[in-house]
Structure formats: C-alpha cells, structure tokens
Amino acid sequence: MNARKQDFLIENVDDISVLERSNEELFADKSCLYLLLICKEQYEVKVLFLSHSKLVRAVEILEFMLSEFGLVKGDASRANACISQAILNSLVTDAEFSTEAMYFDSLIDSYLEDTAFIMAYDFARENADVIYSLPLYVKRKVKWAVVKSVDIVNAGESFIIKSLENESGEAVVASNNSYIMVGCRGEIYEITKDKFDKSYEMSDEKLDVFEQMLDFIPEVKSCKTGEYVSIDDRAHICYPKQDAKIYAMRLNYRTKIFQRDGDGEYFLGRPGDYMAVRADDIGDMYIIQKDVFEYTYEMI
C-alpha cells in the first residue's frame, strides 16, 4: 500500500484565517486524503499540510519539502511552515515553474518517487529468501533501559512516545504486556513482554537519564492529562542477550516500515540508516538510525 498522487490536493488561499480552521472544517468538502494550503503574505508564505491517513505524517512531508528553508512545526495529522517569499520565489524560478503550487506539486512527486512503503509482514512473506541472505548482527553488551508501560500511566490509559524514527509521536495503550525500551542514544520504542524476555536481561540498576542519554531525551506524554511524564525514576537498566539476533541492511533510499496493515504508525528511515529484521520473527521489522546501529550492533 503506497500513498497515491491522486490523494493529494494543493490550494491557494487569500485569507490567513483559513489556516486557523480545524482539520474537519478544511476536509469537509474535499475528497482528498492530504491537503496542502498556501497563503502568501507581503514578505513570507505560510504553508499548512493536513493528513487524513497514517501513510503520510504531515510534519514528515513538510520537513521533506521545507526543512532547509523554513521552520516546520506540527504532528502526524497537521503541520505548518513559514518560508520567506523571496526564497520561495527563487526556488520556483530555479525549478522553472510559474507558480508556487506547481513547485510544491513537484516536491510531492519527488517525495512519492523517493520513498519506499514497506508493509512488514507482506514483505517478509514475499521476500523471505532475500531476508535470510542478509548479514546477521547481535547487540554489543551495552546498557539499555526498560520501563513497564503500566508504570507510566494506569492500565488502559494511553500515552505518546516520541522517538528518533517517529518525531511526531506514537500512541501506546498501557498494559502488563507492553514495555518501553530506551536505547543508549535515546532511541525509544514499544516492545512486548515476551519479546523483551527473549532479547534482554533485567537488572536492579536504575536508569539515570542524564548520564545515559547522549543525543536525544525521550518524551513521554499522558494523553489523559496532557502532561509529560518522567521515565528515569521508573526505568531499569537491562542488557541484550547475545543469542538475540537480527538481519540488517543499510538503506539507500527513504523508507517507511509499517509493522501492521498500514493502519498503524510507521518507522522512517533515511539513506544511511538500517532496516532491521528480527531473526526469530522476520515479520518484525523496524528502522535503526545509522549512528545508533553502528554503535550498538556488531556483525556475527
């Protein structure tokens, strides 16, 4: 399942207040899944991108388009950016387009052409021989940390975790079967209790987030209260078992991996990052950032 060009709509708006309307209002009379609105002011251009599908996060595609030239803010469903009118005029002219809409339309084409959409279990079923031919890796014996989701919020409640591979955040429902892993560089992701027990050994050592985290401080936010929750006083250090192996390959293109049927959140990898596949379950795939992978893993 890929995002389709026909699901994107680009519109110019003259009234800046239009950009303040809710997603529901702006999508009300539209038949698209993704909506890009452009509003020109005297010296700058406001851009709003809305996503009505989990195949494309709004903040991700705007960062793809404008991160070098404008400030991008937002989340999975709604993101906005501001770019200098002079800079945008120069970009449009250099690309030999006559309008801003045509320029943004070409960026959407580039995004779709340069991005691979992988549905993990479909890919595993159809490409098992390719996966089994990849090099095997094992985690170096470095410290990881783990916190039970029910130690963050009450069972049945939800919270948002932001990670290196999903900066807009993923909602997790707390349960006794749900653990949150925190890596040596601050990478953070959900894991089931069963997979944790197969892959890690728990210790009594508490996590010191300021000592452990080098590049990224994990953010965990309660959906019920909207407040951020500290995890360093709830998490424990753990160590990888040496018999837990993964297949891995370095990516040469922008890649999204959906662990479920396209209805869930995805991992985003960029060229140089790695696609990892659990050796004991090749349908379990995810992305590991380049520096994290090379620090954490070694080839068998």
Side-chain angles (χ1 to χ4, degrees), residues 147-297:
V147 57
K148 297 177 181 179
S149 63
V150 290
D151 289 338
I152 298 174
V153 297
N154 295 326
E157 293 183 7
S158 299
F159 58 93
I160 301 292
I161 56 173
K162 295 188 178 184
S163 68
L164 295 169
E165 296 80 18
N166 183 352
E167 297 171 358
S168 63
E170 176 179 1
V172 173
V173 179
S175 75
N176 289 321
N177 191 45
S178 171
Y179 289 8
I180 304 301
M181 295 297 302
V182 183
C184 55
R185 294 296 177 93
E187 61 271 32
I188 183 169
Y189 59 91
E190 183 185 14
I191 187 173
T192 64
K193 180 181 183 301
D194 179 60
K195 287 183 178 178
F196 174 84
D197 291 339
K198 289 180 180 179
S199 304
Y200 297 91
E201 296 177 350
M202 183 79 77
S203 79
D204 294 329
E205 186 180 352
K206 287 291 190 75
L207 169 68
D208 184 334
V209 71
F210 296 105
E211 177 183 340
Q212 292 291 118
M213 299 303 105
L214 302 179
D215 302 323
F216 178 82
I217 303 299
E219 292 184 345
V220 179
K221 184 172 71 171
S222 167
C223 293
K224 181 178 180 179
T225 66
E227 297 178 351
Y228 285 95
V229 181
S230 172
I231 64 171
D232 57 316
D233 58 349
R234 297 169 169 84
H236 286 79
I237 297 298
C238 60
Y239 294 92
K241 294 180 179 179
Q242 294 304 293
D243 57 350
K245 303 177 181 67
I246 64 167
Y247 296 100
M249 64 175 290
R250 191 170 180 176
L251 298 175
N252 295 317
Y253 43 83
R254 188 181 187 88
T255 302
K256 297 181 178 186
I257 296 179
F258 297 81
Q259 287 201 316
R260 292 178 287 278
D261 56 7
D263 192 38
E265 297 292 341
Y266 55 82
F267 294 99
L268 174 65
R270 298 173 176 84
D273 293 341
Y274 287 79
M275 181 178 79
V277 184
R278 285 182 65 101
D280 60 355
D281 179 6
I282 63 170
D284 188 351
M285 302 177 190
Y286 46 96
I287 297 292
I288 305 175
Q289 284 199 342
K290 176 181 182 294
D291 60 336
V292 172
F293 181 87
E294 293 174 353
Y295 178 83
T296 308
Y297 286 86

